[in-house]
Amino acid sequence: MAKQAITLIGGGPVGALLARLLAQRGFAVKTFEKRRNPRRGSSVRGRTINLALAERGLHALRAAGLAEHALQRSVMMRGRMVHPPDGACGLQRYGVDDSEVIWSISRSELNALLVDAAEEAGVRFHFGQALTTADLDAQRITLTDSNRVQREHDATLLIGADGAGSALRAAMNLYQPLGIRVEPLGHGYKELEIPPASGRNRFAIEPHALHIWPRGRYMCIATPNIAGSFNVTLFMPLHGPYPSFDTLRDAATASAFFSKDFPELLPLMLRFADDYDGHPVGTLATLYLDSWHIDKRAVLVGDAAHAMAPFHGQGMNCGFEDAVVLADLLADASRETADAFAEFQSIRKPNADAIAAMTLENYIEMRDSVVDPRYVSKLELGARLAQRVPEYFMPRYRMVTFTLLSYAYAYERGCAQDRLLEQLLQASPNPDDVSLDAAVSALKATLPPLPLLR
Ligand code: FAD
């Protein structure tokens, strides 16, 4: 029997993984990717260089037989190394031990690995081909290459994995409004770098951590690369009073700002001026759609359906979960394609909405709360409860990052747990003043046990 043909737009991390999963399930997949072949070093200057891979992403990579390959190219991050403006820096561990860590991997290395693996499974990639229009009635798409030469292709079943600025989404929306809402964050980011150190220790700072320099309305983070460098990202408001990207227009003004606000970081960034002046300011927004598909003809996945801010490090992880769910639904022969698309949306959209909301909360947590004594008290009491009654209490970050509990569940349970911690710390903000026995009784009276983990 002829394999069912699928046309995938976008060969980024989510598109390439989905392409492999579909090919492994017997589909004939063609992928059109706007950029040059990622194996020929086509990374875009200023785009995030590293991505944090967490359990959900790893689980999807395991389903594709690729987790070990990805881990070999990653650096383990055990927790957040917080660098307060004054005082000593300290590690806030993510999990209980090294079984609960996240992994820093280069976006371009991961993409190249996924494209190779998809091709090996039989996917045909067409690089340098950007979707420009899609006629959903005629089931034809138009692609344009870098020389502006246009080609048309038949496309009966279209999947859009073409990222936050999705051209397929725009074409679908013209055909039938999808209820698109974009909420800009008003904050942007710039990529900088700490090069490898000379001498015996390749890394200029602790390699096994995600470094954060929280400063209230803005922050820097740094993630390690296996070659010894760190990818540094400055997040701050785009506009408004100093400091904002509007007021730090060039390396000279930015350097004065860094020497005051990030004095120990600036000397490590040896190419600061070139990076600051050469890299663009990226903007951040959350994308919501009422509808992710048009009957059986087209569906959106990953950032094309639900782009979110990066502060939980879950955008790609969430997109990888999408890929597994969609591939499994399409491979189930008992379901019509339109039903598979509808079910995909009903399973994934509440989860995408939940992680988008948690991501926005995490921005405030990372840039501000990590040094707030009340937040640290709640973290401490939560950790004690999690240790005493792990079947009743699990920090939300842990549910999101180290389990496969749905994002929607983690959001709801996390809110309920947080309300309880607030109540328990009402009389005294010091967790040592709270009776753990009484706290456990209150917890068991308020919330059911957590689901069993797979
Ligand atoms: P993309 O990565 O955007 O890929 C889309 C692909 O489609 C690209 O290859 C593009 O060239 C191609 N394309 C675009 N238009 C067309 C067209 N018209 N025709 C054909 N092809 C096209 N997520 C995490 O999980 N962990 C992290 O630590 C993390 N950190 C982040 C840090 C920052 C600063 C940012 C901005 C994001 C971060 N993310 C992180 C989110 C993550 O980058 C995205 O969620 C992920 O890249 C989405 O993958 P995607 O394949 O859906 O989209």
Side-chain angles (χ1 to χ4, degrees):
M1 207 172 72
K3 291 178 174 181
Q4 191 183 355
I6 293 184
T7 306
L8 226 153
I9 309 300
V14 175
L17 176 67
L18 177 58
R20 174 168 166 100
L21 292 167
L22 289 167
Q24 286 177 323
R25 284 158 181 73
F27 294 93
V29 186
K30 264 189 202 162
T31 301
F32 294 97
E33 164 55 50
K34 179 164 82 175
R35 289 192 209 135
R36 290 191 304 137
N37 189 329
R39 291 160 299 195
R40 297 199 195 126
S42 66
S43 72
V44 178
R45 204 164 142 76
R47 185 106 204 263
T48 61
I49 295 154
N50 289 338
L51 294 164
L53 198 51
E55 180 52 26
R56 292 163 205 275
L58 279 171
H59 184 72
L61 290 172
R62 271 181 222 119
L66 299 172
E68 280 312 311
H69 299 275
L71 287 177
Q72 279 160 14
R73 293 162 172 78
S74 307
V75 182
M76 177 200 284
M77 297 189 289
R78 295 193 168 99
R80 296 166 174 163
M81 184 70 82
V82 180
H83 302 255
D86 36 40
C89 68
L91 182 74
Q92 295 178 356
R93 252 192 182 274
Y94 288 132
V96 282
D97 55 33
D98 280 359
S99 64
E100 293 189 339
V101 295
I102 55 176
W103 300 87
S104 177
I105 185 164
S106 136
R107 178 191 289 272
S108 52
E109 278 233 22
L110 178 61
N111 212 161
L113 165 77
L114 293 169
V115 167
D116 275 342
E119 276 185 344
E120 185 196 276
V123 175
R124 287 184 52 202
F125 279 89
H126 303 267
F127 293 103
Q129 300 286 328
L131 178 92
T132 34
T133 57
D135 181 338
L136 294 172
D137 276 329
Q139 303 194 311
R140 300 273 292 166
I141 58 171
T142 309
L143 300 144
T144 307
D145 71 16
S146 53
N147 299 318
R148 304 209 178 151
V149 176
Q150 294 204 330
R151 288 184 185 79
E152 286 205 359
H153 277 273
D154 289 330
T156 43
L157 197 165
L158 267 166
I159 301 180
D162 48 345
S166 171
L168 182 59
R169 186 178 68 229
M172 288 163 66
N173 191 51
L174 278 180
Y175 182 82
Q176 185 179 298
L178 301 175
I180 301 174
R181 211 171 85 237
V182 178
E183 287 186 1
L185 198 64
H187 287 226
Y189 66 95
K190 193 177 277 269
E191 297 292 335
L192 303 164
E193 195 201 25
I194 301 174
S198 53
R200 255 157 52 89
N201 189 354
R202 290 182 300 144
F203 294 94
I205 49 178
E206 165 59 42
H208 295 296
L210 185 152
H211 294 262
I212 309 182
W213 289 262
R215 297 294 184 264
R217 288 171 60 244
Y218 50 94
M219 67 173 177
C220 278
I221 67 167
T223 52
N225 294 299
I226 38 178
S229 60
F230 286 81
N231 178 200
V232 178
T233 315
L234 165 68
F235 293 97
M236 65 162 41
L238 290 166
H239 312 295
Y242 180 92
S244 63
F245 281 113
D246 271 358
T247 57
L248 299 177
R249 285 196 178 277
D250 54 31
T253 37
S255 163
F257 161 71
F258 267 77
S259 60
K260 190 168 64 62
D261 276 65
F262 304 101
E264 83 282 28
L265 176 58
L266 182 61
L268 302 174
M269 297 190 287
L270 302 181
R271 288 191 300 268
F272 179 82
D274 281 354
D275 286 347
Y276 197 91
D277 284 338
H279 291 176
V281 175
T283 54
L284 299 168
T286 312
L287 165 76
Y288 304 92
L289 306 186
D290 292 339
S291 182
W292 289 8
H293 74 106
I294 289 184
D295 51 54
K296 61 178 184 184
R297 279 173 279 190
V299 68
L300 300 167
V301 291
D303 275 19
H306 51 66
M308 64 192 77
F311 306 114
H312 223 306
Q314 285 290 320
M316 174 192 65
N317 286 283
C318 178
F320 279 9
E321 268 194 335
D322 288 355
V324 176
V325 173
L326 182 59
D328 284 344
L329 287 168
L330 284 171
D332 178 352
S334 67
R335 229 183 237 101
E336 296 291 331
T337 305
D339 295 337
F341 286 174
E343 188 157 355
F344 170 66
Q345 177 181 326
S346 78
I347 294 172
R348 296 302 297 160
K349 187 172 155 43
N351 288 306
D353 290 344
I355 186 58
M358 290 188 279
T359 290
L360 293 175
E361 291 176 14
N362 220 40
Y363 186 29
I364 299 169
E365 190 172 314
M366 285 173 86
R367 66 183 208 221
D368 209 355
S369 316
V370 281
V371 285
D372 170 6
R374 185 151 188 90
Y375 168 84
V376 177
S377 291
K378 280 202 281 182
L379 210 62
E380 176 57 35
L381 183 56
R384 289 179 195 179
L385 283 169
Q387 202 178 23
R388 174 76 84 87
V389 275
E391 65 285 14
Y392 275 89
F393 193 99
M394 188 182 289
R396 185 173 90 181
Y397 186 88
R398 206 168 147 214
M399 287 189 260
V400 168
T401 312
F402 303 122
T403 78
L404 303 177
L405 293 169
S406 75
Y407 289 124
Y409 176 84
Y411 188 37
E412 200 186 312
R413 179 83 184 194
C415 289
Q417 291 181 168
D418 194 65
R419 278 194 298 274
L420 184 77
L421 292 177
E422 288 280 356
Q423 276 167 22
L424 292 169
L425 290 164
Q426 214 163 28
S428 159
N430 183 350
D432 291 340
D433 296 339
V434 178
S435 148
L436 208 53
D437 289 337
V440 168
S441 303
L443 174 60
K444 288 187 172 173
T446 321
L447 292 173
L450 291 154
L452 287 178
L453 297 180
R454 274 190 280 158

